[in-house]
């Protein structure tokens, strides 16, 4: 229902990617590294063998979910960057369940549900403030992200802490873990939660009435009001759904991430997944299917980047620079749309404040 | 010298009052690309000295084409023009002027910062470095007095009213001593001032000019002129003595058996009020008062037309009624229930349709597909969605039906964006979406703006059908013809107030035009 020109988008994306890699190669050449061996290492590390591909998919698992958070918002004309904070709490909620000794299935299900709910609850103030007081979501989500960060630090250090190893939380109970899919890798069956969520979001956006309302509001808020679509309902739905997927992202990253199934203090493996989801969504053109592809690509960059360092002797900093160049170019088509989008949002904001 | 020549000709013209001075026989005109039917199909027409001959026809009947053929702007495809019995070939407007044929075009061609005299001097073949301005001024004064045109040659064109500009244009043509004056829809630009023009034309006819007066308004054809020729789709439907014909006959000649619905309306039967507005006030986007003490009601099966220059509160009124703008005071009552400041959704549910002013910005969501825009308001209800899932096959079938029933040209329903449609097709889509349910109440703002003549016809018919079916319709339009044709009652808005309310049948075009122009009325005091 209404998603023409996807092939065109794909073409644009591929061209942008090629340019990005070319620029990356140029940078490496300038600093005296061999781009061909570097890219070979990158590709082999990411997709060259089962191990590499599994690692790429494992990295993609939470990214798909946080990207969906942003994409739902973007489709509805909202700039939801709250996934980061919601993700922390989702992860903590997933671990919390393991404080209690619950039977196998209950613990597993409860972990996922609580994590999703934690994310949703953390998104509620954003939705309510926006719907009732017109508070811009960028402001409120940034604030809530910080609150969530320190709340999570506290939870990790004080409540969920492993009594035997103070640098991490307790591990998820055996029964509440996602089974490993490819032995010896980080890839667990949690990837199906992400893929399922993407398909559900796809159906939601293009096959349901609320999805229609979300897209309509994203394109033209004025016409949406004219058509009798209630703004506050769309806002509430967008943020709650986004919160659910962001919360789940936290859960799959602890419940489905071998080998430790725990959060380390400072949350090094979790921090940033929310904002990276934003980039994933942009490169995936905010389309669930595009997001799956783009998240795997991102996961591949993470996995392959290590190999670049290892086998092509490219320092980590240079790996990041090259990755940055590629991502930037890939995001350009959507960034252009984003700028025009922010501009209309700005004018609408003026319009609103004048009226109320 | 010119003055002498005209008085000589005049005397000769007055003597032979029924002499035919201009005659077209078997005039045919086609244009490359539209040859499949002739724009003019063997038209015979003649203009006598001392008469006003009215050429009546719908938009697109070919009236302007005849005028252009007779005055030398167009070459004929077939047929012959005779001036005073002698066959002539007109190759350019200059030839026309040489044979004494002057044409006043529908669009005025005056240079605004120049005076009337300067404008006329511009078109003279003798104009060079020695501008004959004083002579021109004298002549203009003379002509103006003689034919009661009341034009000051030293007045700057931009300071003149539309009617005065029209008459200045006439003087410009009279300056060349024509014997025949062709006026193409001279009343389309002037509403309140038509009386002056008619007076001038009558006095010119009395002095022996032959005048061909083109109009699409039956009322004018009956009001002015000695004979009337009716044109329909490039064919002449016959010529009648104005005194011996009537509205019914002219309507039949103009439209054939297919009479436009708005010309044979039945009176409003019901007394039930559907929409009532009491003492409404609202602010515009700039916080200035946009509506002040607006009150009216519309009954079942009644059309209330809002006339007035746009920007006098009509848009805000439509927005307040449909819930898009807050009322600061007053009430909006639909079917006896208070809907003041309810959200648009409630008002849609109460049965109010809205054809918005900004069709691209508000009426549709441009990046969405045609099918999605057709169900923009209906997608929430069965059968277009079940539970919360969209029933795509039902939506498709419905969109297909609306698109074909309302004649919107679309390339496909589900693929391309609505953005690529023309304004007219978007309007057809909106009209289809807003009226297919035969709503109880419709608020339509500039519903035919930018549509072609045929589409306007269809839209008017649509509104009349809805009226018959019992809809209460509020129409805002700047086109006084549209308001006059459709409305059972006419409200005139000025500066956010209703300054006049007229019964449609008794409405006087001139009075309304004047009221629109000045914004003044007697009813203001009574409020």
């Amino acid at each position: 229902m209404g998603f023409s020109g996807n092939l065109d988008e794909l073409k644009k994306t591929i061209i942008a990617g090629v340019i990005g890699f070319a620029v990356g190669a140029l940078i490496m050449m300038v600093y005296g590294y061999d781009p061909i061996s570097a890219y070979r290492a990158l590709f082999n590390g990411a997709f060259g063998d089962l191990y590499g591909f599994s690692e790429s998919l494992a990295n993609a698992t939470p990214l798909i979910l946080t990207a969906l958070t942003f994409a739902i918002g973007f489709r509805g004309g909202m700039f939801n960057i709250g996934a980061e904070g919601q993700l922390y709490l989702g992860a903590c909620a997933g671990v919390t369940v393991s404080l209690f000794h619950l039977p196998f299935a209950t613990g597993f299900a409860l972990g996922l549900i609580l994590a999703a709910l934690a994310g949703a609850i953390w998104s509620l103030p954003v939705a309510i403030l926006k719907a009732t007081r017109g508070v811009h979501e960028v402001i409120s989500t940034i604030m809530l992200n910080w609150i969530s960060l320190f709340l999570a630090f506290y939870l990790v250090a004080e409540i969920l802490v492993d009594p035997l190893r103070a640098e991490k939380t307790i591990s998820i109970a055996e029964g509440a873990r996602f089974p490993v899919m490819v032995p010896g890798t980080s890839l667990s069956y949690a990837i199906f939660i992400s893929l399922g969520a993407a398909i559900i979001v796809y159906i939601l956006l293009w096959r349901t009435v609320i999805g229609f309302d979300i897209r309509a509001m994203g394109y033209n808020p004025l016409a949406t009001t004219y058509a009798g679509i209630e703004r506050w309902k769309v806002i509430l739905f967008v943020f709650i759904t986004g919160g659910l997927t962001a919360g789940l992202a936290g859960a799959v990253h602890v419940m489905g991430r071998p080998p430790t199934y725990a959060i380390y203090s400072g949350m090094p493996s979790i921090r940033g997944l929310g904002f990276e989801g934003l980039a994933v969504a942009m490169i995936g053109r905010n389309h669930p299917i595009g997001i799956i592809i783009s998240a795997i690509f991102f996961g591949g960059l993470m996995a392959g980047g290590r190999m670049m360092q290892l086998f092509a002797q490219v320092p980590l900093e240079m790996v990041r620079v090259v990755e940055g160049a590629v991502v930037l170019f890939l995001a350009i088509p959507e960034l252009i749309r984003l700028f025009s989008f922010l501009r209309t949002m700005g004018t609408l904001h003026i319009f609103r404040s004048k009226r109320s | 010298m010119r003055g002498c020549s005209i008085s000589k000709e005049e005397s000769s013209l007055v003597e032979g009052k029924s002499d035919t001075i201009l005659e077209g026989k078997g005039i045919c005109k086609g244009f490359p690309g539209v040859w499949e039917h002739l724009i003019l199909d063997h038209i015979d027409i003649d203009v006598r000295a001392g008469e006003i001959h009215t050429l009546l026809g719908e938009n697109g009947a070919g009236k302007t084409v005849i005028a252009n053929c007779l005055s030398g702007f167009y070459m004929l495809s077939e047929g012959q023009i005779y001036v005073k019995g002698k066959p002539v070939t007109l190759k350019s407007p200059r030839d026309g002027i040489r044979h004494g044929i002057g044409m006043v075009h529908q669009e005025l061609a005056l240079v605004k910062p120049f005076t009337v005299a300067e404008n006329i001097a511009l078109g003279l073949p003798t104009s060079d470095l020695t501008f004959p301005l004083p002579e021109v001024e004298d002549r203009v004064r003379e002509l103006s007095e003689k034919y009661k045109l009341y034009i000051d040659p030293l007045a700057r064109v931009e300071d003149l009213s539309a009617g005065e500009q029209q008459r200045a244009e006439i003087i410009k043509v009279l300056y060349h001593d024509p014997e025949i004056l062709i006026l193409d829809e001279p009343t389309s630009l002037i509403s309140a001032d038509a009386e002056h023009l008619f007076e001038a034309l009558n006095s010119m006819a009395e002095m022996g000019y032959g005048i061909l007066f083109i109009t699409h308004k039956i009322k004018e054809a009956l009001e002015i002129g000695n004979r009337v020729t009716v044109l329909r789709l490039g064919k002449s439907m016959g010529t009648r003595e104005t005194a011996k014909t009537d509205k019914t006959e002219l309507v039949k000649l103009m439209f054939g058996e297919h009479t436009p619905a708005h010309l044979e309306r039945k009176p409003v039967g019901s007394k039930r009020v559907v929409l009532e507005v009491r003492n409404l006030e609202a602010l515009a986007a700039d916080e200035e008062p946009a509506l002040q003490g607006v009150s009216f009601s519309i009954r079942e099966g009644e059309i209330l037309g809002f006339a007035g220059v746009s920007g006098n509160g009509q848009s805000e009124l439509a927005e307040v009624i449909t819930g898009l703008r807050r009322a600061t005071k007053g009430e909006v009552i639909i079917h006896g229930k208070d809907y003041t400041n309810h959200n648009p959704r409630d008002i849609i549910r109460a049965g109010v349709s809205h054809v918005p002013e900004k069709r691209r910005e508000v009426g549709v969501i441009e990046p969405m597909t045609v099918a999605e825009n057709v169900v923009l308001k209906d997608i929430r209800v069965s059968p277009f969605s079940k539970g919360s899932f969209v029933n795509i096959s039902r939506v498709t079938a419905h969109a297909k039906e609306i698109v074909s029933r309302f004649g919107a040209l679309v390339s496909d329903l589900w693929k391309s964006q609505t953005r690529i449609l023309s304004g007219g097709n978007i309007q057809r889509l909106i009209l289809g979406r807003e009226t297919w349910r035969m709503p109880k109440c419709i608020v339509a703002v500039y519903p035919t703006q930018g549509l072609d003549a045929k589409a306007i016809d269809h839209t008017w018919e649509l509104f009349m059908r809805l009226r018959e079916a019992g809809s209460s319709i509020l129409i805002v339009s700047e086109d006084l013809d549209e308001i006059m044709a459709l409305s059972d009652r006419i409200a005139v808005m000025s500066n956010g107030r209703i300054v006049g309310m007229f019964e449609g049948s008794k409405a006087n075009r001139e009075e309304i035009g004047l009221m629109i122009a000045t914004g003044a009325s007697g009813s203001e005091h009574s409020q």
Side-chain angles (χ1 to χ4, degrees):
Chain A
M1 185 165 160
F3 44 90
S4 64
N6 275 347
L7 260 173
D8 210 45
E9 287 289 332
L10 192 67
K11 227 187 291 169
K12 258 193 255 173
T13 309
I14 289 171
I15 293 169
V18 168
I19 298 173
F21 276 110
V23 170
L26 217 67
I27 297 171
M28 281 193 280
M29 274 154 74
V30 166
Y31 287 93
Y33 302 103
D34 176 13
I36 297 182
S37 69
Y39 281 147
R40 191 182 296 137
L42 176 73
F43 182 81
N44 282 337
F47 308 108
D49 52 22
L50 184 64
Y51 175 78
F53 190 55
S54 299
E55 286 302 316
S56 300
L57 288 181
N59 291 335
T61 304
L63 289 181
I64 292 174
L65 290 165
T66 51
L68 288 173
T69 304
F70 181 77
I72 299 165
F74 195 82
R75 288 279 169 188
M78 284 162 261
F79 204 80
N80 182 4
I81 49 172
E84 185 75 21
Q86 292 151 15
L87 164 89
Y88 306 153
L89 296 186
C92 291
V95 175
T96 308
V97 175
S98 295
L99 286 177
F100 313 98
H101 298 285
L102 294 162
F104 166 68
T106 325
F108 180 72
L110 206 62
L112 286 179
I113 292 169
L114 275 185
L117 278 180
I121 289 168
W122 208 245
S123 72
L124 264 183
V126 182
I128 292 169
L129 283 171
K130 185 177 177 68
T132 59
R133 308 297 313 158
V135 176
H136 201 287
E137 63 273 15
V138 168
I139 309 292
S140 52
T141 48
I142 287 176
M143 290 163 75
L144 280 162
N145 283 348
W146 284 108
I147 299 171
S148 162
L149 178 69
F150 291 104
L151 179 59
F153 278 170
Y154 168 77
L155 290 173
V156 169
E158 302 289 334
I159 312 288
L160 305 170
V161 65
D162 188 337
L164 302 175
R165 292 174 60 190
E167 81 276 17
K168 73 183 241 323
T169 64
I170 53 164
S171 290
I172 301 285
E174 294 260 346
R177 295 176 185 173
F178 281 95
V180 174
M181 200 156 86
V182 181
T185 71
S186 308
L187 182 62
S188 71
Y189 283 95
I191 183 89
F192 290 107
I193 293 281
S194 302
L195 295 178
I199 291 164
I200 290 171
V201 168
Y202 173 80
I203 293 170
L204 193 81
L205 282 173
W206 278 282
R207 291 285 188 276
T208 67
V209 176
I210 184 77
F212 179 92
D213 293 354
I214 290 171
R215 287 182 302 119
M217 197 161 121
Y219 288 130
N220 186 339
L222 213 60
T224 311
T225 312
Y226 157 79
I229 296 167
E230 282 160 300
R231 230 173 72 90
W232 66 270
K233 275 188 193 163
V234 177
I235 291 173
L236 217 60
F237 192 89
V238 159
F239 283 105
I240 288 176
T241 318
L244 289 175
T245 61
L248 273 180
V252 298
H253 202 62
V254 288
M255 292 166 66
R257 186 75 180 188
T260 53
Y261 299 98
I263 310 171
Y264 279 77
S265 84
M267 303 191 292
S269 71
I270 295 176
R271 282 185 75 179
L273 287 177
F275 288 120
E276 252 165 88
L278 191 157
V280 170
M282 297 291 270
I283 290 173
R285 304 291 175 264
N286 290 297
H287 189 290
I289 308 303
I291 283 172
I292 292 175
I293 300 167
S294 134
I296 293 172
F297 174 78
F298 252 78
L301 279 185
M302 288 183 198
R306 276 200 302 242
M307 300 301 142
M308 233 164 120
Q309 207 182 338
L310 227 61
F311 295 110
Q313 279 79 48
V314 180
L316 183 68
E317 288 71 23
M318 184 52 67
V319 172
R320 293 272 172 260
V321 168
V322 172
E323 281 174 3
V326 173
V327 168
L328 187 65
F329 275 93
L330 280 171
I332 280 175
E334 197 73 358
L335 278 176
I336 293 169
R337 208 180 320 170
L338 174 72
F339 284 136
S340 72
F341 164 81
L342 288 176
R343 201 163 40 231
T344 51
M345 225 159 50
T347 51
L348 279 170
H349 192 73
I350 291 159
F351 177 64
R352 210 163 41 233
S353 62
K354 264 201 158 175
R355 268 166 40 134
S356 57
Chain B
M1 223 191 81
R2 283 207 166 82
C4 295
S5 74
I6 199 167
S7 56
K8 223 191 287 166
E9 273 167 22
E10 227 168 67
S11 54
S12 72
L13 290 178
V14 173
E15 281 165 26
K17 241 195 163 179
S18 64
D19 283 357
T20 298
I21 42 175
L22 177 67
E23 190 174 9
K25 273 195 178 149
I27 294 179
C28 288
K29 180 71 189 171
F31 289 98
V34 274
W35 267 105
E36 54 271 25
H37 85 96
L38 290 166
I39 302 299
L40 295 179
D41 191 357
H42 297 90
I43 306 281
D44 293 330
I45 191 159
D46 64 300
V47 183
R48 295 170 193 157
E51 78 157 353
I52 297 176
H53 189 145
T54 310
L55 192 57
L56 177 69
E58 254 193 302
N59 289 330
K63 307 179 300 273
T64 302
V65 183
I66 289 201
N68 282 331
C69 285
L70 291 175
S71 58
F73 277 87
Y74 292 164
M75 299 276 287
L76 304 183
S77 301
E78 238 179 81
Q80 184 62 53
I81 295 171
Y82 300 88
V83 174
K84 295 186 194 158
K86 272 178 277 177
V88 294
T89 309
L90 305 177
K91 287 187 179 141
S92 70
R94 199 156 289 255
D95 282 351
I97 291 168
R98 230 185 42 233
H99 286 104
I101 304 163
M103 170 144 172
V104 179
H105 288 271
Q106 192 168 1
E107 294 88 23
L108 303 178
L110 296 168
V111 184
K112 292 206 160 175
F114 286 10
T115 66
V116 175
E118 283 167 345
N119 263 290
I120 290 167
L122 268 181
L124 295 179
T126 54
S127 295
D128 47 24
L129 289 174
T130 60
F131 235 39
L133 261 185
E135 283 169 49
V136 174
E137 280 162 21
D138 288 345
R139 269 273 286 161
V140 169
R141 225 167 260 132
E142 183 195 331
L143 288 168
S144 164
E145 223 159 278
K146 194 155 155 196
Y147 303 113
K148 300 180 180 149
L149 289 164
Y150 310 108
I151 293 299
D152 176 6
L154 298 177
R156 289 210 298 178
V157 169
E158 61 193 355
D159 297 332
L160 300 179
S161 73
E164 284 169 328
Q165 289 187 19
Q166 181 99 54
R167 299 201 300 274
E169 188 80 37
I170 292 173
I171 288 188
K172 199 168 118 189
V173 175
L174 287 178
Y175 200 92
H176 298 286
D177 299 328
E179 293 170 49
I180 293 149
L181 204 57
I182 301 173
L183 296 114
D184 188 11
E185 304 241 9
T187 52
S188 64
L189 291 173
I190 52 169
S191 41
D193 242 3
E195 284 303 319
H196 273 128
L197 177 70
F198 289 175
E199 207 181 309
L201 291 180
N202 278 325
S203 79
M204 278 188 261
E206 268 167 39
M207 295 197 189
Y209 283 96
I211 293 170
L212 187 62
F213 179 87
I214 296 172
T215 183
H216 66 269
K217 294 162 197 165
I218 295 175
K219 194 163 153 259
E220 285 177 3
L222 289 167
E223 224 170 294
I224 189 165
N226 311 74
R227 287 186 302 158
V228 52
T229 296
V230 180
L231 216 57
R232 182 162 94 215
L233 294 173
K235 291 195 173 82
S236 171
M237 293 290 120
T239 304
R240 300 281 184 277
E241 298 278 330
T242 306
K244 289 179 189 158
T245 186
D246 56 17
K247 189 175 162 188
T248 326
E249 189 184 21
L250 291 182
V251 166
K252 208 168 225 170
L253 289 174
M254 248 176 109
F255 300 100
E257 294 309 311
H258 173 71
T259 314
H262 64 85
L263 290 174
E264 42 179 36
R265 68 173 64 217
K266 295 181 201 86
V268 181
S270 170
K271 285 210 186 320
R272 270 181 54 198
V273 169
V274 175
L275 173 68
E276 191 178 359
V277 163
R278 283 189 209 144
N279 210 19
L280 206 60
E281 295 191 4
L283 299 179
D286 58 4
E287 310 267 329
E288 291 298 315
L291 295 176
Q292 295 179 54
V294 172
S295 303
F296 62 86
S297 64
I298 311 180
R299 288 166 293 169
E300 223 171 36
E302 183 181 39
I303 299 180
L304 176 62
F306 274 83
V309 181
S310 68
N312 272 296
Q314 300 96 320
S315 310
E316 286 83 1
L317 175 64
E319 285 173 8
V320 170
I321 293 171
T322 54
L324 292 171
R325 183 177 293 277
R326 288 191 67 78
T328 48
K329 211 180 144 193
E331 289 158 280
V332 176
I333 294 154
I334 300 160
H335 282 301
K337 252 186 85 185
D338 188 356
Y339 276 94
T340 321
N341 290 335
H342 276 228
N343 65 32
R345 183 187 195 130
D346 289 353
I347 292 163
I348 292 167
R349 282 193 179 154
V352 179
S353 277
H354 182 196
V355 179
E357 176 182 0
K358 294 181 186 136
R359 53 190 77 148
R360 282 188 188 273
E361 292 86 351
V362 177
V364 291
I365 296 177
E366 284 194 305
M368 292 182 108
T369 63
V370 172
E372 286 171 316
N373 272 302
V374 169
V375 292
L376 188 58
K377 284 184 173 177
D378 295 312
I379 197 164
R380 267 154 289 280
V381 292
S382 177
F384 305 116
S385 60
K386 264 187 216 130
S388 48
F389 285 90
V390 177
N391 186 337
I392 291 186
S393 62
R394 293 301 285 269
V395 170
T396 309
H398 176 64
K400 208 179 269 172
E401 209 222 310
I402 293 291
V403 160
S404 75
R405 177 138 56 103
F406 289 85
L409 285 174
V410 301
S411 53
D412 55 75
L413 297 174
W414 283 112
K415 282 207 189 85
S416 33
Q417 301 187 346
T418 306
R419 188 194 308 279
I420 64 169
L421 299 189
S422 72
N425 283 317
I426 284 184
Q427 188 68 350
R428 288 189 183 95
L429 192 158
I430 295 171
L431 283 166
R433 183 186 68 211
E434 296 303 311
T435 62
W436 71 276
R437 273 183 196 278
M438 305 306 259
K440 283 272 119 212
C441 178
I442 302 164
V443 176
V445 187
Y446 307 124
T448 59
Q449 203 172 55
L451 297 188
D452 59 62
K454 206 170 149 199
I456 290 176
D457 254 19
H458 284 163
T459 311
W460 285 9
E461 255 171 56
L462 171 69
F463 282 128
M464 290 313 292
R465 267 208 314 279
L466 289 162
R467 177 188 179 272
E468 294 285 298
S471 289
S472 306
I473 307 175
L474 187 161
I475 293 178
V476 173
S477 178
E478 268 196 305
D479 179 1
L480 200 45
D481 288 334
E482 177 164 80
I483 293 288
M484 302 278 288
L486 294 176
S487 308
D488 295 293
R489 277 183 304 144
I490 298 166
V492 178
M493 265 195 110
S494 179
N495 279 321
R497 294 174 188 279
I498 294 180
V499 292
M501 185 74 90
F502 300 88
E503 286 295 319
S505 53
K506 293 176 199 140
N508 176 321
R509 197 191 160 83
E510 283 65 42
E511 198 183 336
I512 293 176
L514 191 70
M515 195 174 277
I516 289 171
T518 60
S521 81
S523 62
E524 204 173 1
H525 305 294
S526 62
Q527 281 189 0

